[in-house]
Amino acid sequence: MTQYVRDVMTGDPVTVEPLTSVTAVARIMRDRDLGAVLVTEGDRLRGLVTDRDLVVRSLAEGGDPGQTTVAGARSDDLVTVRPDEELDRAVRLMREHAVRRVPVVDHGHPVGIVSLGDLAMERDPESALGDISVARPNP
């Protein structure tokens, strides 16, 4: 049976504007237990920022995280998929571009994210990655 991106994606993605501070984004990630948020201007996707991006592209540079914005930390050379595309296409894109998350867009508007963890839970829930993906962190 053919599976589609919409079947496994995490919908209703958390978004932030490019001028949101690194500190604010880190708090959002902490409070919502997220590893990535989408960067948008209005309702248009402009990038994706991960917890690793915040560390490597922002904090490691030594700037003030309260004054530094995610505009410089985001990945803006994104590959995207539509919710009605076959899931195998998302897998191919992840492999080809060596990414763990792919934003899902519908007519240019972000509607979700499909992640390596989503795929692991769907395709092999008993795998180590599947187990880790469903586990809730200890407070």
Side-chain angles (χ1 to χ4, degrees), residues 6 15 17 28 30 59 61 66 78-79 82 85 89 94 98 100 102 106 108 111-112 121-122 124-126 128 130-131:
R6 69 175 165 266
T15 63
E17 294 282 327
I28 290 168
R30 177 198 63 200
L59 295 177
E61 296 299 318
L78 300 177
V79 292
R82 294 183 323 271
E85 289 188 81
R89 175 164 161 67
M94 288 175 159
R100 293 175 174 90
V102 176
D106 190 17
V111 295
M121 289 185 304
E122 178 62 30
D124 191 4
E126 300 301 316
D131 285 345

Side-chain angles (χ1 to χ4, degrees), residues 33-88:
D33 188 29
L34 300 171
V37 298
L38 298 178
V39 180
T40 57
E41 283 184 304
D43 62 351
R44 291 289 178 185
L45 180 63
R46 297 294 183 227
L48 178 138
V49 65
T50 67
D51 45 7
R52 185 176 190 281
D53 291 334
L54 295 181
V55 172
V56 172
R57 294 184 181 163
S58 183
L59 295 177
E61 296 299 318
D64 177 355
Q67 300 299 314
T68 304
T69 67
V70 296
R74 71 183 178 196
S75 298
D76 54 10
D77 184 23
L78 300 177
V79 292
T80 63
V81 292
R82 294 183 323 271
D84 60 348
E85 289 188 81
E86 291 187 14
L87 191 56
D88 287 342

